[in-house]
Amino acid sequence: DSTQFHPRLAPPAQLGPPGFMVEHALVVGGAGDFEPQENLPLLVEAFLRLQDSALADQRPLRLLLAGDGPDRARCLDLLQQAGQSHHAWLPGRRPELAQLMRAMDVFIVPATGEADATLILRAMASGLPVIASAVGRNAELVGTGFTGILVPSMTPCLLASAIGDYGRLPELARRHGARARAQVIAHHSLPAVAQGYMAVYDALATRTGA
């Protein structure tokens, strides 16, 4: 639904605990059911690497992970052990996912297997560049160097590097995000899907003489 999921039209809302949303922050986002195959702890590892990089000296870094499941506790433990809990917000499963995505600057899909295509398309419709593991159908949705970046699975250092590229080059992030939304509007929005179905029906009707 490209009407519900759309880019932010104003500065991001003041979401999360006090001090979470700060000016000029790079908000690294993700969402899911925190199942092992979604590999969200890898995203936490990449985020912690970024906090130890030169990028953290240039702009504040924040992590927003929406959803709940078995790996959520592990993500929280990793953040606490690193002393970075105050730079992250894991609000659990929330109904306002569209609003949360509008608070993000880049969306990460570190899954080790085929990811939830709907989640990727929602992020793209929200005008977010998507960094995803190069597995399954992700390459069909994420045009690396065009609407996002594909990275090898299970490589936190490369994932951190890809996020860092967007952090250092915000104009690149905006350009990829705009292209991502345009791709959704053209090929995956409700009107586009309906038009595709009608084209199939029309072709069948013409073939059968109906």
Side-chain angles (χ1 to χ4, degrees):
D1 186 343
S2 54
T3 301
Q4 179 184 7
F5 290 87
H6 62 80
R8 62 176 176 245
L9 305 175
Q14 288 298 315
L15 301 173
F20 177 74
M21 296 297 294
V22 293
E23 192 174 3
H24 303 310
L26 175 69
V27 181
V28 180
D33 294 326
F34 283 79
E35 295 289 344
Q37 67 271 16
E38 293 179 347
N39 208 22
L40 290 171
L42 185 83
L43 171 52
V44 175
E45 291 180 34
F47 176 76
L48 295 176
R49 286 173 180 260
L50 282 175
Q51 289 287 18
D52 290 332
S53 72
L55 178 60
D57 297 328
Q58 301 171 22
R59 61 188 301 190
L61 304 176
R62 297 294 186 266
L63 177 66
L64 200 172
L65 279 178
D68 201 0
D71 270 350
R72 183 169 178 267
R74 183 181 169 200
C75 291
L76 290 168
D77 286 343
L78 288 171
L79 289 162
Q80 186 173 13
Q81 291 169 15
Q84 291 292 332
S85 297
H86 58 299
H87 289 151
W89 184 38
L90 282 69
R93 190 171 285 109
R94 301 286 288 265
E96 70 276 26
L97 181 58
Q99 183 183 9
L100 294 179
M101 283 189 169
R102 284 192 286 276
M104 301 173 185
D105 295 299
V106 57
F107 193 80
I108 316 297
V109 184
T112 55
E114 187 148 323
D116 183 348
T118 302
L119 199 58
I120 292 177
L121 292 173
R122 286 174 171 175
M124 293 173 66
S126 301
L128 296 176
V130 176
I131 302 175
S133 299
V135 296
R137 294 181 56 238
N138 291 357
E140 297 176 21
L141 299 175
V142 180
T144 191
F146 187 74
T147 65
I149 302 173
L150 293 172
V151 296
S153 179
M154 300 299 293
T155 53
C157 57
L158 295 181
L159 179 56
S161 177
I163 298 170
D165 287 344
Y166 284 133
R168 285 182 289 270
L169 301 169
E171 183 54 40
L172 178 66
R174 286 190 287 269
R175 187 161 60 247
H176 283 188
R179 290 174 182 166
R181 178 165 173 81
Q183 288 282 92
V184 169
I185 297 295
H187 302 292
H188 304 286
S189 63
L190 296 178
V193 171
Q195 185 176 3
Y197 278 124
M198 289 303 300
V200 173
Y201 292 143
D202 289 344
L204 290 173
T206 300
R207 186 180 305 170
T208 60

